[in-house]
Amino acid sequence: MGCLAAVNDDILQNILSRLPALSFASAACVSKSWNKVCDRVLSRPKLVSALSLNPSLPDAVKEVLEKVLSSPIRPQFAIASIGLQFSLEEAHQLITEKLGSRTPVITNATFGIIGRDALTNTMKEVRWNFDPEEDNSNSQGSDAASNFNRGIVLIVGFLPGLKVDTVPLLRPKREPRFTMIDKFMMDIRDYTASVSGCIAPAGIILFGDQHTDLTPVLAEIDCAMPEETVIVGDASCRFLFRSGGNSQSSITDLYYFDAVALVFAGDKDKPHGIGETRFHVTLSTGVMPFGPELRAVSVTAKGSECSWLTACMNGYDEILDSQRLLDDISDEMDDESTDLYIGVIQKRPSSIEPEKLELRTYLAFYEVLGGDEEYLVVDGVGIRPGDTFLFYHSDSDTASSSCLNAFENLKVLKAASSSKTRYSIRDAAAGGGGSNDEVFGGLMFSCHYRGESYFDSFPFYSNFPGAPLAGVVCNREIGRDSTGSSTSMWQQAKGESPARCSLHVCTTVFLVLSFVPPSADH
């Protein structure tokens, strides 16, 4: 032990920095001096991620865990996204057992995964079709069919200076039609205040149940949270979660989980000299508005699944023949596989702050399912008579152009990482300066309708080839965009100020994490 004590701290730090995570954790418990050296090794934030397409769930989980835990890290949170053919319960159990009881973990089932392969370190972007026969139409043998929709991407993070935990959106089993949005907002505020002394977190990653409409929830979050709070996620999936040390058994018996938020809040006990972790969001959209502005005249909701509405041109009273309208649209479309939506402007008061008389304006997307001579049928509910809307269609040219815009936005952060110039994505949109951020990782949420015609991860990995990236292919992507790029289409179409939009279609949402080193005085 005397020889070990004589080892120079720099040499010891070099040795400890090469240890895998579990050995590193043990080394931190040897003595106070070793613990201090370990703190220096992890003085900066760190993200690690890995992807596996191994068709065996235990083997796939083993591959990604071995990769992400192959170097020092103290896991503060983990997000695992798996193929639909894997068991969600088994995957969640395997991961939570390995990461320890105090690490918040969210496991979700998804339509595809994005990241670097755990074995080859090559960047992969995998999108699974809904039909296994479709997915393997060009494959040979039963092996390919059995591998359909099997894979996992895991991201683990350590963010010194931040506290992280999960907050669920509850729905009472005794009153299943009542989602507790007000409690959800209060729980986020209470957790944030308890760890940071503030009421607004730095960021929220949200996962919604596939049977829950998160549109009103996101509207309330957008109203309650300041512009600086970043919000991203997957609005329609199956998920399981574990909080950071709190028992869930008592609430599982009484409530359904309509969503879960991974909340990132500042640490009020953060030591001096740690630096700052920042969240940046940029979007690549793939839909284009077209046609005249229409107005909903009557709306009939069929349960919580779809809405039947009659419509007229805004400013006129004649009810349109919806079937003829859709036929005309179909004749104009070059591509029969084009997806069709309506983008509805909704002006609503706050449901959790009804005393505020001011109406808030949001843009909500609904997929068009069909129609007849009188009614237009769309997926989802929430439209009211008097709401105005435009038709939108998926568009590959818009997606490609928007992908290049996202690349240019992230290029701003790349410039900041390699120089002393102070920039950020928000500042770039405003034409001003920002901070000397060092990008250390990212997440992306990409719509499965965008197809495989180009690499969605290109804007990130081209700018930050060495930074970890994990992504999911989802059905409805969440992205609160501070630059306004997601609502500029409506602004251009109507000539009005843009409506807020946090729930998107045919869009890729990039969440980029950067680190601002402490100032020289520290």
Side-chain angles (χ1 to χ4, degrees), residues 343 345 363 388-390 392 487-494:
I345 287 292
L363 172 61
T388 58
F389 63 91
L390 292 177
Y392 284 73
T487 56
S488 60
M489 294 177 300
W490 184 270
Q491 184 180 21
Q492 293 167 5
K494 290 194 66 180

Side-chain angles (χ1 to χ4, degrees), residues 319-376:
I319 302 296
L320 297 174
D321 183 328
S322 295
Q323 185 60 61
R324 182 176 177 182
L325 182 63
L326 293 178
D327 290 341
D328 291 343
I329 290 173
S330 179
D331 292 341
E332 290 294 323
M333 294 294 175
D334 296 330
D335 186 357
E336 292 183 1
S337 64
T338 297
D339 299 301
L340 188 63
Y341 306 88
I342 59 172
V344 183
I345 287 292
Q346 299 178 337
K347 298 182 178 181
R348 307 285 190 266
S350 170
S351 64
I352 60 175
E353 296 178 303
E355 69 279 359
K356 290 187 176 181
L357 300 179
E358 180 183 357
L359 298 179
R360 294 162 298 146
T361 304
Y362 296 97
L363 172 61
F365 288 102
Y366 296 83
E367 184 179 3
V368 176
L369 301 178
D372 57 22
E373 291 182 358
E374 186 174 6
Y375 292 101
L376 180 68

Side-chain angles (χ1 to χ4, degrees), residues 114-190:
I114 301 162
R116 291 196 177 275
D117 189 279
L119 302 180
T120 65
N121 203 38
T122 54
M123 193 69 196
K124 292 186 176 179
E125 191 167 312
V126 183
R127 295 171 183 269
W128 293 298
N129 293 320
F130 292 108
D131 184 355
E133 294 181 2
E134 238 181 272
D135 199 66
N136 295 289
S137 58
N138 297 320
S139 303
Q140 299 295 323
S142 59
D143 286 346
S146 66
N147 296 347
F148 167 73
N149 242 328
R150 297 174 184 268
I152 181 172
V153 64
L154 173 67
I155 188 161
V156 174
F158 170 68
L159 308 177
L162 291 179
K163 294 286 189 179
V164 188
D165 208 348
T166 55
V167 176
L169 171 62
L170 305 175
R171 181 162 47 92
K173 290 184 176 180
R174 289 185 177 181
E175 300 180 53
R177 292 179 296 176
F178 176 61
T179 297
M180 302 170 67
I181 301 178
D182 52 349
K183 175 174 170 51
F184 181 58
M185 297 302 304
M186 187 60 67
D187 287 347
I188 292 176
R189 287 171 170 164
D190 287 348

Side-chain angles (χ1 to χ4, degrees), residues 44 276-280 410-427 433-440 464 512-517:
R44 288 171 171 252
E276 180 186 358
T277 297
R278 291 187 174 180
F279 299 80
H280 312 266
L410 296 184
K411 196 173 179 180
V412 171
L413 289 178
K414 179 183 178 182
S417 297
S418 57
S419 73
K420 293 183 178 179
T421 308
R422 300 173 68 83
Y423 289 111
S424 69
I425 291 177
R426 186 191 301 251
D427 298 320
S435 62
N436 54 331
D437 300 61
E438 301 174 9
V439 170
F440 63 90
F464 314 108
V512 181
L513 280 75
S514 68
F515 174 65
V516 181

Side-chain angles (χ1 to χ4, degrees), residues 23-35:
S23 300
F24 179 81
S26 299
C29 299
V30 169
S31 66
K32 288 184 178 180
S33 61
W34 279 41
N35 186 271

